[in-house]
Amino acid sequence: MSPRIVLIGPMGVGKSTVGRLLAERLGVGYRDTDDDIVTAENRTVADIFVDDGEAAFRAIEKRAVRTALTEHEGVLALGGGSVLDADTRALLASRQVVYLSMEVEEAVRRTGLGAARPLLAVNPRKQWRELMQARRHLYEEVATAVVPTDGRTPEEVTEAVLDALEPETVFPGEQDPRPEDAVVNDVTRIRIGGTAGSEPYEVLVGRQLLGELAGLVGDRAKRVAVVHPEALAETGEALRADLAGQGYEAIAIQVPNAEEAKTAEVAAYCWKALGQSGFTRTDVIVGVGGGATTDLAGFVAATWLRGVRWIAVPTTVLAMVDAAVGGKTGINTAEGKNLVGAFHPPAGVLCDLAALDSLSVNDYVSGLAEVIKAGFIADPVILDLIESDPEAARTPAGPHTAELIERSIRVKADVVSSDLKESGLREILNYGHTLGHAIEKNERYKWRHGAAVSVGMHFAAELGRLAGRLDDATADRHRAILESVGLPLHYRHDQWPKLLENMKVDKKSRGDLLRFIVLDGLAKPTVLEGPDPAVLLAAYGEVGE
Ligand SMILES: NC(=O)c1ccc[n+]([C@@H]2O[C@H](COP(=O)([O-])OP(=O)(O)OC[C@H]3O[C@@H](n4cnc5c(N)ncnc54)[C@H](O)[C@@H]3O)[C@@H](O)[C@H]2O)c1
Ligand SMILES: O=C(O)C(=O)C[C@@H](O)[C@H](O)[C@H](O)COP(=O)(O)O
């Protein structure tokens, strides 16, 4: 959830009156964070200032704004000083924020010496000028539109705001960039557009989705191979038996758990099983498991007979939001992570949320690293949802599980729909992975992928900050959110030379040039090419322990 419009501006500018009129015009609810605070504290804003001081009020206000940004879908008015907080400003990035402005004479006329305005109690004209000197640039920094209110009635201001809004805000849905996404019977279908050479397909998110499997396999297939890890032997066998019951010659191919499956030897074992069962070009592979299994199964499908159809049934958060979506398949080699592979999109992806119930907490949390990555590179609402209750985000029973997964899938779907083969935009999905993959190799693939990516994102944030690209608040937010869900931030300091060596074979490197994805700001990913080695080392200085 996210407000359709956020109103900011100084006290007395008319945010409440205009906010209510706007909400009425748009047919949505109205909310005001000052009202939330008064209700929660059972005191007026002025009383909180007098009793506890401004700093205490700002801390209460910051929490109130964060909660409202996560919970409210209509028009939201923020208190005049809320933009003083850098974290709050970062939260407002990429939202529709309207700054209602007014000049000093109008302000003094409207606010006067009212006791309810604690910051203007004495000499209002002087106080106002000082206040606006401190705040005007902050309002302008976060605003997507500025609407002057001087000499205008609230109705006229409301009209001006409506004129200034992006059409999508006023007529939501009419310009939906993903009109093909649909929710039927609690199953969300996210369509991934086919670029040149690949068919479009759907990612289904819901429960009890296995009834969809045979339809995806289709009637041209005679044989189906279900590739599953040891940990999911029962699930693999249940799928095989179900497909056999529907008339297919179904085999199960059990592979090792986790990264041990992503080797040339295991791929060769699968090829042998396919060969022995007489698998032809119309037959279908089903990869059921975490990202390691779906990467392997997709790779086997890409290479068998130079490419057969495959269906992904991801059973971890990480595989649902990332690995099983988008068509990157592959295995590791002794020299590095995912060094051998192919772009080979699946024919469909079934994300059955019930599968997550049996996942260990560590494997669940590992997946949150890719969810958080999607938040930082493209969809900050993901971050708001996690920050609203990090403890709940660590379990499938959390209130936002489905929304977090769906939002992350949409981020990936949007990117890979326009750049399947990573000729440009797709590189942003590699945020945190340059160092992350180097750590995984250094640990001989015993670290969880998400844990390594978490340290890698911390590094990328520090690199962005030290390279003068990323603001302090957004860089700090990385540490706070990753830590809040229990992901690691640090790695051994003395390993830097080895990590640097490992990073040279990263797929984004060009010749001797190291390339990193960093942020220019929240949800503004970009490429940093050939950073100064001293800056790299300094960034690692923040990560190493
Ligand atoms: N292709 C891509 O675009 C892409 C994107 C992100 C990550 N990846 C890859 O994904 C892999 C990591 O995936 P992962 O985090 O899912 O780890 P994983 O596949 O190693 O699974 C983690 C562990 O959980 C077990 N498991 C899986 N589902 C389970 C369930 N429902 N209940 C109980 N146990 C279950 C697995 O057998 C394994 O032991 C890495 O190899 C990474 O490189 C690929
Ligand atoms: O889909 C992509 O593109 C990604 O980069 C997603 C990553 O999260 C994922 O770990 C991917 O496997 C990394 O790809 P690689 O090309 O760097 O091996």
Side-chain angles (χ1 to χ4, degrees):
M1 264 188 233
S2 179
R4 191 131 15 126
I5 305 167
V6 181
L7 292 180
I8 57 169
M11 60 193 85
V13 74
K15 289 173 299 226
S16 315
T17 313
V18 171
R20 286 197 176 85
L21 289 171
L22 266 177
E24 212 171 280
R25 289 286 298 274
L26 296 172
V28 295
Y30 170 75
R31 184 162 167 171
D32 184 322
T33 52
D34 274 354
D35 292 346
D36 289 352
I37 293 168
V38 169
T39 308
E41 292 286 313
N42 203 16
R43 295 182 282 172
T44 64
V45 171
D47 281 347
I48 302 173
F49 263 79
V50 172
D51 295 346
D52 304 345
E54 183 173 356
F57 174 77
R58 295 289 169 225
I60 297 169
E61 180 176 53
K62 178 175 175 167
R63 284 196 299 277
V65 172
R66 176 158 292 184
T67 306
L69 285 172
T70 309
E71 291 178 354
H72 187 60
E73 282 184 302
V75 176
L76 177 68
L78 305 189
S82 53
V83 293
L84 291 169
D85 183 79
D87 291 341
T88 299
R89 294 200 300 282
L91 277 181
L92 292 174
S94 79
R95 296 174 198 269
Q96 184 93 250
V97 180
V98 179
Y99 164 29
L100 300 183
S101 69
M102 68 178 163
E103 295 304 322
V104 60
E105 290 311 322
E106 180 95 5
V108 173
R109 192 176 60 74
R110 287 193 208 170
T111 55
L113 295 171
R117 312 282 184 193
L119 294 180
L120 291 182
V122 190
N123 195 350
R125 198 170 272 100
K126 177 169 174 286
Q127 300 282 352
W128 176 265
R129 280 207 188 88
E130 286 174 4
L131 213 66
M132 286 310 288
Q133 262 164 17
R135 295 183 184 177
R136 184 175 291 109
H137 68 285
L138 300 178
Y139 291 134
E140 288 170 356
E141 177 189 316
V142 291
T144 48
V146 181
V147 174
T149 61
D150 305 80
R152 284 170 155 170
T153 65
E155 288 74 18
E156 286 166 343
V157 176
T158 305
E159 279 309 322
V161 172
L162 288 169
D163 285 347
L165 290 175
E166 287 165 15
E168 170 60 14
T169 311
V170 186
F171 308 109
E174 293 194 6
Q175 302 194 351
D176 191 344
R178 305 192 51 78
E180 61 274 38
D181 291 3
V183 184
V184 179
N185 294 337
D186 282 341
V187 176
T188 302
R189 292 172 178 267
I190 300 168
R191 197 170 153 91
I192 303 205
T195 44
S198 84
E199 292 292 313
Y201 58 98
E202 283 185 329
V203 182
L204 273 59
V205 186
R207 285 172 186 271
Q208 298 181 331
L209 296 180
L210 296 183
E212 302 274 345
L213 188 56
L216 280 171
V217 171
D219 46 21
R220 289 185 67 215
K222 182 165 190 256
R223 298 175 190 85
V224 184
V226 178
V227 178
H228 66 83
E230 278 171 35
L232 297 182
E234 267 181 40
T235 311
E237 175 49 28
L239 285 186
R240 190 208 62 75
D242 186 61
L243 289 163
Q246 310 216 28
Y248 297 105
E249 279 176 30
I251 58 165
I253 306 179
Q254 176 164 305
V255 297
N257 288 324
E259 292 293 308
E260 280 181 30
K262 285 178 64 172
T263 66
E265 291 73 24
V266 176
Y269 169 77
C270 296
W271 293 325
K272 187 169 179 189
L274 297 180
Q276 289 178 347
S277 76
F279 221 73
T280 71
R281 275 206 171 145
T282 44
D283 296 331
V284 175
I285 291 175
V286 175
V288 53
T293 312
T294 56
D295 272 11
L296 170 81
F299 176 67
V300 170
T303 45
W304 184 251
L305 304 181
R306 301 200 183 90
V308 296
R309 291 175 75 238
W310 76 289
I311 296 157
V313 184
T315 58
T316 63
V317 175
L318 194 142
M320 290 182 187
V321 303
D322 201 346
V325 179
K328 259 192 189 177
T329 72
I331 55 175
N332 308 322
T333 78
E335 287 68 37
K337 176 91 178 171
N338 299 337
L339 290 187
V340 177
F343 292 102
H344 187 57
V349 183
L350 302 178
C351 303
D352 196 325
L353 299 174
L356 301 178
D357 294 341
S358 57
L359 208 52
S360 73
V361 176
N362 285 341
D363 283 315
Y364 192 91
V365 168
S366 169
L368 294 180
E370 300 285 17
V371 173
I372 290 170
K373 174 193 79 178
F376 276 115
I377 62 171
D379 182 0
V381 174
I382 288 175
L383 306 177
D384 301 344
L385 290 171
I386 293 177
E387 285 163 344
S388 69
D389 191 347
E391 201 49 44
R394 286 165 49 85
T395 78
H400 305 304
T401 300
E403 185 174 358
L404 287 170
I405 288 175
E406 286 170 17
R407 281 183 175 273
S408 307
I409 294 171
R410 283 197 185 95
V411 168
K412 183 142 192 188
D414 283 344
V415 173
V416 300
S417 293
S418 63
D419 179 20
L420 172 65
K421 296 206 172 161
E422 206 169 25
S423 41
L425 177 70
R426 186 167 184 160
E427 288 188 333
I428 67 172
L429 299 172
N430 230 248
Y431 187 54
H433 284 62
T434 325
L435 186 78
H437 282 171
I439 291 174
E440 286 189 83
K441 185 194 163 202
N442 209 43
E443 291 294 327
R444 294 170 198 269
Y445 307 114
K446 297 293 181 217
W447 261 47
R448 286 182 174 82
H449 178 70
V453 168
S454 173
V455 178
M457 273 193 285
H458 180 205
F459 173 73
E462 293 304 329
L463 187 58
R465 186 208 308 252
L466 290 167
R469 304 282 189 98
L470 188 60
D471 57 284
D472 287 349
T474 311
D476 292 344
R477 197 173 178 191
H478 283 70
R479 275 206 290 272
I481 191 167
L482 292 167
E483 209 162 31
S484 75
V485 295
L487 282 163
L489 297 175
H490 300 288
Y491 190 64
R492 287 180 290 158
H493 197 269
D494 62 353
Q495 297 300 297
W496 176 242
K498 286 190 191 161
L499 298 179
L500 197 52
E501 206 47 40
N502 291 352
M503 288 196 293
K504 289 184 181 158
V505 289
D506 179 76
K507 288 167 229 69
K508 297 183 299 306
S509 297
R510 299 289 179 265
D512 289 335
L513 193 68
L514 281 180
R515 296 167 71 249
F516 295 85
I517 304 302
V518 294
L519 300 181
D520 270 343
L522 188 60
K524 290 181 182 151
T526 181
V527 177
L528 179 65
E529 288 199 335
D532 183 339
V535 174
L536 276 178
L537 184 60
Y540 194 69
E542 299 296 322
V543 169
E545 62 179 2

